[in-house]
């Protein structure tokens, strides 16, 4: 490379052949010029190395380092030490970097003379983007900042990812802000040490990284998807002990204490393991009690009543009481005394527990305290009926956020009147081929809480609600979502060889499928997807004396294919040597196929205008 190397991108490669090309394509096409790409192959047993070699032949700025399997930390450090760029970035090889991300990060680094520049990341799952909602990470990226004293913005410790940042390379080497070799959770020690020693850190609100979370069908699970076994837990503890050592060396007890407070929730994340395993219980209580006992003013946090009760029981050796508490859904009335509100859970003022009243004082709204009477939908709108929240918080504003999964920057916001807390939403506001997630956003004086609306928040039992254009449904995690189901097809016709279905327009991400399903066996056969069309050969599914229903599937939800969705439907009978088939409109105006023996005739072509 003859030009100046502005940025070195270190790509950690292990067993990601399914996603590797997407990652590399996003790097070789960056708008920032002067990038070198260093791929470190950690003896990947799949075809990742062949893919790297393929790209190396095409791109002179891409190099390959092969190492014996030693883990991501060793691979990352080797890449950083090999790099020649002024700045360095580290990327996981199953993720994607938006094409202008490094140009934005680099320009901000140069403009502000920062050792670290941080940008926003989103989750990428099954082709859809989602905002990262873990605790306060998203708050870190919400506002442009330049930080010259770490004490001015301690919430930065909520962000522990290496991949949504660029670092000045010499700074990382001079401060030894690298990943500890052999450590599973090696990103946190690297990033937080860099935060401590950086003279200037810049934050931009631009999207700079897509973090792939692999779906249930993924063959290889990422390490962040296994978090309840003893080894995984002890790896987390090892990471924190490593961090505590350099915080002690840094010599600022206040910063160390605030760092620990902002990580309390990570220790509580695997807490349900104490119910499942006696061995895990012993290890968990020993290690977490040790770390929690180091924290001053430990209950001065934003975790809320339930998690502070966990902390209290851990610190006071109440393992049996905690296990009992974990197995019962927390329910209790709201008690007002002398201007304060308490959540009167069964353990409140219970002689068996003797927990101080102050831990039950309501300082933060919890999802358990949010209640709707009902959710309704008609042809033109849906309504969330009668929101109830205890009068224990100084709420300034309530909003309903309806956020697209296909374009997470697209969010519709509706004000909720505190005096008339029902909200009616016009369905014409939404794309009827998109899917949306629904949140309640609560604004206080100095903070904002966002809650995913769940089935548990409804007084009445709510089932999926469907009209011709949309479906209100609850996800597998019982979260309320809105699905646009209005797909229109140009034509459905068939000849002796196959069935052809033309579609007006694919929804975003081409998340539309068409299939036939045997009414008896329930077996499915999917159509082949073509450009603006689907096709299926008769020979691929047609059995003698069987009836098939036609369905379309959008974003994982299936619906009967109605004749009313097809502008031109050709009903017809076909004869072959061994069987016949009839493509027809049912009495309920759906489309079906029946095989058997029929008198050969053409029923005809019926045309219908699209409904707008």
């Amino acid at each position: 490379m003859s030009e100046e190397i502005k940025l070195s991108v270190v790509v950690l490669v292990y067993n990601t052949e399914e996603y590797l090309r997407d990652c590399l394509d996003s790097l070789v096409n960056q708008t920032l010029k002067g990038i070198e790409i260093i791929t470190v192959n950690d003896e990947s047993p799949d075809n990742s190395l062949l893919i790297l070699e393929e790209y190396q032949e095409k791109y002179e700025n891409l190099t390959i380092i092969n190492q014996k399997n030693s883990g991501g930390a060793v691979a990352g450090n080797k890449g950083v030490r090999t790099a020649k760029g002024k700045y360095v970035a580290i990327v996981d090889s199953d993720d994607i970097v938006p094409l202008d991300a490094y140009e934005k990060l680099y320009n901000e680094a140069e403009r502000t003379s920062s050792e670290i520049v941080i940008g926003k990341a989103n989750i990428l799952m099954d082709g859809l983007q989602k905002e990262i909602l873990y605790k306060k990470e998203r708050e870190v990226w919400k506002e442009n900042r330049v930080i010259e004293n770490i004490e001015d913005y301690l919430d930065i410790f909520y962000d522990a990812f290496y991949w949504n940042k660029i670092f000045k390379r010499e700074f990382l080497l001079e401060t030894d802000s690298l990943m500890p070799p052999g450590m599973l959770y090696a990103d946190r020690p690297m990033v937080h040490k860099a935060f401590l020693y950086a003279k200037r850190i810049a934050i931009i609100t631009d999207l700079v990284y897509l973090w792939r979370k692999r779906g249930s069908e993924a063959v290889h699970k990422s390490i962040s998807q296994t978090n309840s076994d003893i080894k995984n837990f002890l790896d987390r503890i090892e990471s924190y002990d490593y961090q505590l050592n350099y915080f002690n060396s840094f010599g600022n007890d206040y910063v160390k204490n605030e760092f620990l407070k902002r990580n309390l929730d990570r220790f509580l994340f695997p807490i349900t393991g104490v119910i499942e395993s006696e061995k895990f219980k012993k290890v968990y209580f020993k290690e977490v009690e040790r770390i929690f006992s180091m924290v001053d003013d430990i209950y001065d946090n934003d975790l809320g009543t339930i998690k502070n009760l966990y902390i209290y029981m851990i610190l006071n050796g109440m393992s049996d009481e905690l296990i009992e508490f974990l197995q019962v859904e927390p329910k209790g009335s709201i008690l007002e005394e002398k201007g304060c509100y308490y959540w009167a859970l069964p353990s409140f003022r219970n002689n068996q527990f003797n927990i101080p009243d102050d831990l039950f004082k309501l300082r933060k709204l919890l999802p358990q305290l949010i209640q709707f009477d009902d959710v309704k939908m008609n042809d033109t709108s849906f309504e969330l009926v009668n929101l109830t929240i205890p009068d224990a918080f100084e709420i300034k504003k309530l909003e309903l956020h309806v956020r697209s999964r296909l374009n997470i920057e697209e969010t519709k916001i509706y004000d909720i009147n505190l005096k008339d807390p029902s909200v009616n939403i016009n369905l014409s506001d939404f794309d009827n081929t998109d899917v949306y997630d629904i949140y309640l956003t609560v604004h206080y004086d100095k903070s904002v809480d966002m809650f995913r609306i769940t089935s548990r928040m409804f007084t009445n039992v709510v089932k999926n609600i469907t009209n011709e254009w949309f479906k209100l449904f609850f996800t597998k995690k019982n979260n309320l979502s809105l699905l646009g189901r209005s797909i229109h097809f140009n034509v459905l016709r068939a000849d002796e060889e196959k069935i052809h279905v033309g579609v007006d327009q694919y929804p975003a991400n081409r998340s539309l499928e068409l299939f036939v399903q045997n009414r008896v066996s329930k077996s499915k056969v999917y159509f082949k997807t073509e450009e603006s069309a689907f096709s299926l050969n008769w020979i691929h599914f047609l059995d003698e004396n069987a009836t098939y229903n036609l369905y379309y599937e959008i974003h994982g939800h299936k619906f009967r294919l109605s004749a009313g969705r097809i502008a031109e439907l050709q009903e017809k009978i076909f004869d072959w040597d061994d069987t016949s088939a009839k493509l027809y409109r049912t009495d309920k105006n759906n489309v079906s196929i029946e095989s058997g023996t029929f008198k050969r005739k053409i029923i005809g072509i019926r045309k219908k205008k699209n409904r707008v």
Side-chain angles (χ1 to χ4, degrees), residues 297-357:
D297 299 321
I298 193 168
Y299 303 110
D300 180 20
N301 59 55
D302 64 351
L303 295 179
T305 302
I306 298 299
K307 290 181 178 178
N308 273 316
L309 290 173
Y310 295 163
I311 293 170
Y312 181 87
M313 292 179 186
I314 290 168
L315 285 172
N316 289 275
M318 300 168 65
S319 58
D320 292 340
E321 292 86 348
L322 176 58
I323 289 171
E324 180 183 340
F325 190 64
L326 286 168
Q327 295 182 84
V328 179
E329 183 179 353
K331 290 183 179 180
S333 59
I334 306 302
L335 176 66
E336 182 182 3
E337 286 185 357
K338 297 179 181 179
C340 295
Y341 292 87
Y342 300 90
W343 193 5
L345 296 166
S347 50
F348 178 64
R349 294 176 182 170
N350 185 322
N351 292 333
Q352 176 188 349
F353 296 92
N354 291 318
I355 301 172
D357 285 2

Side-chain angles (χ1 to χ4, degrees), residues 176-309:
D176 193 29
S177 296
L178 299 173
M179 289 184 274
M183 192 174 291
L184 186 62
Y185 292 98
D187 48 353
R188 306 181 72 82
M190 171 194 174
V191 171
H192 289 157
K193 186 175 184 181
F195 287 167
L196 282 180
Y197 288 97
K199 294 178 181 177
R200 187 173 289 112
I201 303 169
I203 300 173
I204 61 175
T205 58
D206 300 88
L207 178 66
V208 301
Y209 201 82
L210 297 179
W211 174 28
R212 191 185 301 275
K213 298 282 281 183
R214 306 185 199 176
S216 59
E217 299 303 316
V219 176
H220 306 289
K221 299 294 184 183
S222 66
I223 63 169
S224 58
Q225 289 175 275
T226 55
N227 48 31
S228 59
D229 59 272
I230 292 178
K231 183 181 184 308
N232 188 285
F233 173 70
L234 289 176
D235 285 333
R236 290 177 185 267
I237 297 297
E238 180 188 17
S239 172
Y240 279 102
D241 283 338
Y242 182 94
Q243 290 184 265
L244 286 172
N245 285 333
Y246 65 64
F247 270 94
N248 288 332
S249 298
F250 187 71
N252 188 320
D253 289 341
Y254 170 71
V255 170
K256 181 180 78 170
N257 199 66
E258 292 302 309
F259 157 75
L260 284 171
K261 279 188 182 181
R262 284 160 177 78
N263 284 272
L264 293 173
D265 201 33
R266 291 187 62 82
F267 295 105
L268 299 175
F269 184 71
I271 196 169
T272 54
V274 304
I275 301 172
E276 302 161 5
S277 164
E278 183 68 23
K279 186 176 180 181
F280 181 85
K281 169 188 163 184
K282 291 179 180 178
V283 172
Y284 180 85
F285 273 97
K286 176 185 175 183
E287 295 297 336
V288 175
E289 191 276 334
R290 173 177 66 86
I291 291 176
F292 282 3
S293 64
M294 301 178 188
V295 184
D296 295 331
D297 299 321
I298 193 168
Y299 303 110
D300 180 20
N301 59 55
D302 64 351
L303 295 179
T305 302
I306 298 299
K307 290 181 178 178
N308 273 316
L309 290 173

Side-chain angles (χ1 to χ4, degrees), residues 130-177:
K130 299 176 69 175
E131 189 173 32
I132 293 176
L133 294 176
Y134 308 137
K135 295 308 294 177
K136 293 291 187 69
E137 283 97 331
R138 62 188 172 90
E139 298 297 324
V140 175
W141 316 318
K142 196 172 183 178
E143 183 179 327
N144 292 314
R145 298 175 186 269
V146 176
I147 304 160
E148 296 183 341
N149 183 338
I150 194 68
E151 291 189 31
D152 291 340
Y153 191 58
L154 290 162
D155 281 354
I156 197 172
F157 286 119
Y158 284 116
D159 182 350
F161 307 120
Y162 52 64
W163 30 245
N164 62 326
K165 303 169 177 64
I166 65 171
F167 305 86
K168 193 167 283 187
R169 181 176 58 86
E170 288 184 2
F171 160 75
L172 289 182
L173 298 174
E174 288 170 359
T175 60
D176 193 29
S177 296

Side-chain angles (χ1 to χ4, degrees), residues 228-495:
S228 59
D229 59 272
I230 292 178
K231 183 181 184 308
N232 188 285
F233 173 70
L234 289 176
D235 285 333
R236 290 177 185 267
I237 297 297
E238 180 188 17
S239 172
Y240 279 102
D241 283 338
Y242 182 94
Q243 290 184 265
L244 286 172
N245 285 333
Y246 65 64
F247 270 94
N248 288 332
S249 298
F250 187 71
N252 188 320
D253 289 341
Y254 170 71
V255 170
K256 181 180 78 170
N257 199 66
E258 292 302 309
F259 157 75
L260 284 171
K261 279 188 182 181
R262 284 160 177 78
N263 284 272
L264 293 173
D265 201 33
R266 291 187 62 82
F267 295 105
L268 299 175
F269 184 71
I271 196 169
T272 54
V274 304
I275 301 172
E276 302 161 5
S277 164
E278 183 68 23
K279 186 176 180 181
F280 181 85
K281 169 188 163 184
K282 291 179 180 178
V283 172
Y284 180 85
F285 273 97
K286 176 185 175 183
E287 295 297 336
V288 175
E289 191 276 334
R290 173 177 66 86
I291 291 176
F292 282 3
S293 64
M294 301 178 188
V295 184
D296 295 331
D297 299 321
I298 193 168
Y299 303 110
D300 180 20
N301 59 55
D302 64 351
L303 295 179
T305 302
I306 298 299
K307 290 181 178 178
N308 273 316
L309 290 173
Y310 295 163
I311 293 170
Y312 181 87
M313 292 179 186
I314 290 168
L315 285 172
N316 289 275
M318 300 168 65
S319 58
D320 292 340
E321 292 86 348
L322 176 58
I323 289 171
E324 180 183 340
F325 190 64
L326 286 168
Q327 295 182 84
V328 179
E329 183 179 353
K331 290 183 179 180
S333 59
I334 306 302
L335 176 66
E336 182 182 3
E337 286 185 357
K338 297 179 181 179
C340 295
Y341 292 87
Y342 300 90
W343 193 5
L345 296 166
S347 50
F348 178 64
R349 294 176 182 170
N350 185 322
N351 292 333
Q352 176 188 349
F353 296 92
N354 291 318
I355 301 172
D357 285 2
D358 194 60
L359 289 180
F360 296 90
K361 188 181 293 184
L362 284 173
R363 299 178 176 87
K364 180 180 175 67
L365 181 63
L366 297 175
Q368 296 95 325
L369 306 179
I370 299 168
Q371 199 74 53
F372 293 93
D373 282 353
D374 204 350
V375 57
K376 300 177 179 179
M377 184 167 69
N378 56 36
D379 288 343
T380 60
S381 66
F382 74 90
E383 181 182 14
L384 294 172
V385 181
N386 195 22
L387 169 63
T388 304
I389 296 175
D391 186 20
F393 312 96
E394 295 185 4
I395 296 173
K396 299 300 179 183
K397 183 168 64 171
L398 285 173
E399 294 172 334
L400 194 74
H401 286 210
V402 186
R403 175 177 295 158
S404 166
R405 283 192 200 168
L406 305 183
N407 177 13
I408 64 171
E409 304 303 322
E410 180 189 333
T411 300
K412 307 290 186 182
I413 300 175
Y414 304 89
D415 289 332
I416 300 176
N417 188 334
L418 292 169
K419 296 180 180 179
D420 181 19
S422 293
V423 56
N424 192 283
I425 308 299
N426 194 327
L427 289 171
S428 64
D429 291 348
F430 307 104
D431 180 347
N432 55 19
T433 63
D434 204 340
V435 59
Y436 299 86
D437 296 326
I438 303 175
Y439 300 83
L440 178 70
T441 302
V442 184
H443 295 259
Y444 311 96
D445 267 337
K446 296 181 180 179
S447 63
V448 178
D449 278 335
M450 178 178 283
F451 300 96
R452 194 76 162 80
I453 294 180
T454 72
S455 59
R456 293 183 177 182
M457 294 178 181
F458 292 92
T459 303
N460 296 322
V461 177
V462 180
K463 297 182 179 180
N464 296 339
I465 307 172
T466 302
N467 66 22
E468 186 176 356
W469 312 104
F470 289 92
K471 176 182 178 181
L472 272 171
F473 69 98
F474 290 98
T475 69
K476 292 179 180 179
K477 294 183 178 180
N478 293 316
N479 297 322
L480 183 64
S481 294
L482 178 71
L483 170 73
R485 54 164 295 202
S486 183
I487 302 296
H488 288 288
F489 299 90
N490 294 328
V491 62
L492 191 158
R493 62 174 179 265
D495 56 28

Side-chain angles (χ1 to χ4, degrees), residues 10-17 20 38-53 63-72 74-76 78-79 93:
V10 178
V11 188
L12 311 183
V13 182
Y14 184 78
N15 242 25
T16 54
E17 64 172 307
L20 183 55
I38 302 169
T39 61
V40 187
N41 173 38
D42 193 28
E43 204 173 15
S44 189
D46 64 358
N47 292 314
S48 292
L49 179 57
L50 295 177
I51 296 170
L52 294 178
E53 291 171 344
T63 60
I64 302 171
I65 297 174
N66 288 304
Q67 68 174 32
K68 288 289 185 183
N69 181 244
S70 307
V74 172
K78 186 173 291 185
S93 56

